Amino acid sequence: MTEKIFCCMVMRIKIDCNGCLMKVRKALLSIPELEKHLIEQKHSRVSVCGRFVPQDVAIQIRKRTNRRVEILDVQEFNEIPEHKQPPLFITS
């Protein structure tokens, strides 16, 4: 099994009308691994972030919406412990 890491994924899903938008939103909300999502209806793009395997999430959305899902970009983030994060700003 592939390890679930924190990542953000951008997908193309054709969203024609408000009914399609609600179907996609409902599918996204039913996936517990997703922490945040953004639906850009005008550009037919959906962005999701969370701890998941990108291919598995795309397959789940495809099954629940019966729409073609094209993965455009996936960014994986390595977790940095809180005490080792760089400072937000430097003061002199």
Side-chain angles (χ1 to χ4, degrees), residues 1-87:
M1 181 176 168
T2 308
E3 182 181 344
K4 295 180 181 181
I5 58 172
F6 190 85
C7 59
C8 291
M9 175 171 64
V10 180
M11 301 170 284
R12 180 179 292 134
I13 303 173
K14 191 168 183 183
I15 302 172
D16 298 327
C17 61
N18 285 338
C20 299
L21 175 69
M22 296 307 290
K23 186 185 276 191
V24 170
R25 180 173 287 144
K26 185 176 178 182
L28 293 173
L29 291 173
S30 68
I31 301 173
E33 293 90 5
L34 302 181
E35 293 180 15
K36 295 186 181 207
H37 70 271
L38 173 67
I39 301 172
E40 298 176 70
Q41 184 176 5
K42 189 182 279 188
H43 300 292
S44 294
R45 266 188 274 168
V46 177
S47 303
V48 294
C49 291
R51 187 173 297 280
F52 57 86
V53 178
Q55 293 82 5
D56 293 348
V57 169
I59 290 169
Q60 287 179 5
I61 294 170
R62 165 71 174 103
K63 286 181 179 178
R64 291 184 177 150
T65 62
N66 200 24
R67 296 200 160 265
R68 182 171 171 242
V69 176
E70 181 182 348
I71 297 175
L72 300 176
D73 186 31
V74 177
Q75 291 184 344
E76 298 176 355
F77 297 97
N78 295 330
E79 292 190 44
I80 302 171
E82 296 244 352
H83 62 280
K84 292 189 178 183
Q85 285 185 350

